[in-house]
Amino acid sequence: MTVWRAMARNPLRFLLSSWPWRSIAYLATGPVIAVGWLTVVLVLGAAGVLLAPLVVGLGLLLFVPLTAIGLAAVERRRLRLLDARPAPSPHREPATPGWRPWLRLRLREAATWREFGFALLFALLGVVDVVVPFVIIVGSTVQAGSAYLVAHSDQLQYGPYGTVDRPEEAWVTVAAGVAMFVVGLYVMAALAGARAALARVLLVRPVEDELVAVRASRARMADAFEAERRRIERDLHDGAQQRLTGLIMTLGLARLETPSELIDKAQQDARAALAELRDLVRGIHPSVLTDRGLRAAVESLAEGAPVPVDVDVELPGRPDEGVESAAYFVIAEALANVVKHSGAERARVLARHQNRLLVVEVRDDGKGGARPGEGSGLQGLADRVAVYDGTLRLSSPAGGPTILRVEIPCEL
């Protein structure tokens, strides 16, 4: 939550919340910090100039821009008054410990000089932080107290011609003072929000860097998961399936030499186990997807579906393995939902590459009313697609049609 969002969400409730007082505290403490920093800078600068003939003086002058690092650290902590988002430091840690590597790194970093520039601007804007709240608070207080002043034989003078010295005029001024204070709360909050936004732009490391790292980590995990799935599929195909096939052939030969109902039953059980194993392998990672691509894998799904499925997959090349696998399982789950829940008479699968996106649509003419999170597995598909920064959208009004659309960033 930020002060801007608090004002936009409910302007009236904003007045009764803590946000106006946080804004006043933010503006009031800013000039104090600015004065403290300017004092340190002036002392260091004066000492550095006086001791300039000596090496110590040059060292003191060198430390002047480094003082902004402390001011920036305090400012990032003050941001919590108006902005609950994390405010990480933009500085990097030196590769080797010690004050010399630290000093060299800080003097070479762009973040240090950006903070020094912010500190100079911060000191200048401190005047605004003093003047605006002073005018609003003092002006509204004087006007709101005009009834008390008039009652005690005093008056308010507005220029050479405007005078408030009667009770009926005083109460109008009281109302104006209250209105000025209310409006002033919004003005001070807006000023504080603008100052906080400026501090975040100049002093805080962009969160996008962390998001990129998180996305890369998620993508690596997804790729590792897909590789493990393919390994399991290969082991089952080359190992257990071959052994079951050999067992079925051995039982067939045994039946020719010694006919027996027990052998017949064993052969039937082995065939059933082989069929289940093949279905399991196909569910883990279909070999047709690896060998021939998304179109052939979708056509294989369509052939096995009890509902007629029109396949329209036209891609100029093959996507990345993870993206291709995610698209396949989205289609597979969508067609399974069509069969189980929709009551559709026909379905259609479309896949295109448009504007650097792999676009997949699964449409059916069923009864509609599909909702994520109702046992359809759509939430799991959305999570799988999100790993690759993709989006999943579902349109399923009552009476149909149902359209599932997936868009995944992809280069072909």
Side-chain angles (χ1 to χ4, degrees):
M1 176 67 76
T2 64
V3 65
W4 293 107
R5 186 173 296 179
M7 281 194 293
R9 178 175 293 181
N10 193 323
L12 295 179
R13 186 179 297 175
F14 171 81
L15 294 173
L16 303 177
S17 68
S18 63
W19 288 105
W21 310 111
R22 291 186 185 185
S23 302
I24 293 174
Y26 184 82
L27 294 176
T29 54
V32 176
I33 297 172
V35 170
W37 178 76
L38 284 175
T39 302
V40 173
V41 169
L42 291 176
V43 170
L44 283 177
V49 171
L50 292 175
L51 299 174
L54 305 176
V55 179
V56 177
L58 297 178
L60 291 176
L61 292 176
L62 195 64
F63 269 95
V64 169
L66 296 179
T67 58
I69 296 176
L71 183 143
V74 173
E75 185 64 17
R76 281 191 290 269
R77 294 185 67 86
R78 286 205 317 137
L79 282 177
R80 298 176 184 177
L81 287 170
L82 303 178
D83 194 336
R85 293 175 295 174
S89 171
H91 292 289
R92 295 178 289 115
E93 291 299 322
T96 57
W99 66 272
R100 290 183 179 178
W102 182 90
L103 182 61
R104 284 196 298 268
L105 179 62
R106 291 295 175 262
L107 290 175
R108 293 174 181 176
E109 275 187 317
T112 300
W113 300 99
R114 188 166 58 246
E115 289 175 344
F116 184 60
F118 171 83
L120 296 174
L121 183 62
F122 183 82
L124 291 175
L125 293 178
V127 178
V128 179
D129 295 345
V130 172
V131 172
V132 172
F134 179 82
V135 171
I136 292 174
I137 294 175
V138 174
S140 61
T141 301
V142 170
Q143 292 192 80
S146 59
Y148 175 83
L149 297 175
V150 171
H152 288 76
S153 301
D154 205 342
Q155 65 181 15
L156 295 179
Q157 188 73 32
Y158 292 93
Y161 304 106
T163 303
V164 177
D165 54 5
R166 292 183 299 174
E168 57 272 17
E169 294 176 342
W171 286 111
V172 174
T173 307
V174 169
V178 173
M180 178 181 177
F181 182 73
V182 171
V183 174
L185 290 178
Y186 289 107
V187 172
M188 289 187 288
L191 175 61
R195 292 293 308 280
L198 176 65
R200 177 166 287 277
V201 169
L202 295 178
L203 305 180
V204 177
R205 183 175 72 245
V207 182
E208 286 74 11
D209 296 344
E210 298 178 0
L211 292 178
V212 168
V214 170
R215 290 193 185 106
S217 176
R218 286 166 54 189
R220 286 194 298 269
M221 291 177 63
D223 291 342
F225 179 67
E226 290 298 330
E228 184 64 15
R229 286 166 61 102
R230 288 193 293 272
R231 186 191 66 78
I232 295 173
E233 182 267 336
R234 185 172 58 253
D235 291 345
L236 290 175
H237 182 273
D238 297 340
Q241 277 190 236
Q242 298 300 325
R243 288 180 178 274
L244 279 174
T245 302
L247 176 60
I248 292 172
M249 295 177 62
T250 302
L251 290 173
L253 294 174
R255 188 181 59 177
L256 292 176
E257 295 180 1
T258 309
S260 170
E261 293 182 1
L262 187 60
I263 294 178
D264 291 342
K265 187 177 185 308
Q267 191 176 33
Q268 292 174 2
D269 291 344
R271 285 173 177 166
L274 180 61
E276 291 179 3
L277 184 60
R278 284 173 176 167
D279 292 338
L280 176 63
V281 170
R282 191 178 299 111
I284 292 175
H285 192 88
S287 57
V288 65
L289 178 64
T290 304
D291 298 337
R292 299 171 55 195
L294 185 62
R295 179 183 176 86
V298 174
E299 289 175 345
S300 177
L301 284 174
E303 291 175 0
V307 176
V309 179
D310 298 325
V311 178
D312 185 7
V313 178
E314 295 294 339
L315 301 175
R318 292 194 63 173
D320 178 76
E321 290 184 4
V323 173
E324 188 177 57
S325 179
Y328 170 81
F329 283 105
V330 166
I331 296 170
E333 182 67 25
L335 291 179
N337 289 337
V338 170
V339 174
K340 294 178 183 177
H341 308 295
S342 71
E345 296 182 357
R346 198 166 196 88
R348 182 171 184 264
V349 177
L350 179 142
R352 291 288 188 274
H353 186 258
Q354 301 172 352
N355 301 323
R356 297 183 177 179
L357 294 172
L358 176 61
V359 180
V360 173
E361 273 192 8
V362 181
R363 179 191 300 255
D364 68 72
D365 58 2
K367 61 184 179 181
R371 294 290 181 271
E374 297 181 356
S376 61
L378 293 178
Q379 186 59 54
L381 294 179
D383 294 340
R384 177 190 285 266
V385 169
V387 170
Y388 302 98
D389 293 333
T391 58
L392 184 147
R393 298 184 179 90
L394 176 68
S395 173
S396 185
T402 295
I403 303 174
L404 180 71
R405 182 182 177 90
V406 169
E407 297 179 354
I408 308 175
C410 174
E411 295 288 349
L412 294 183

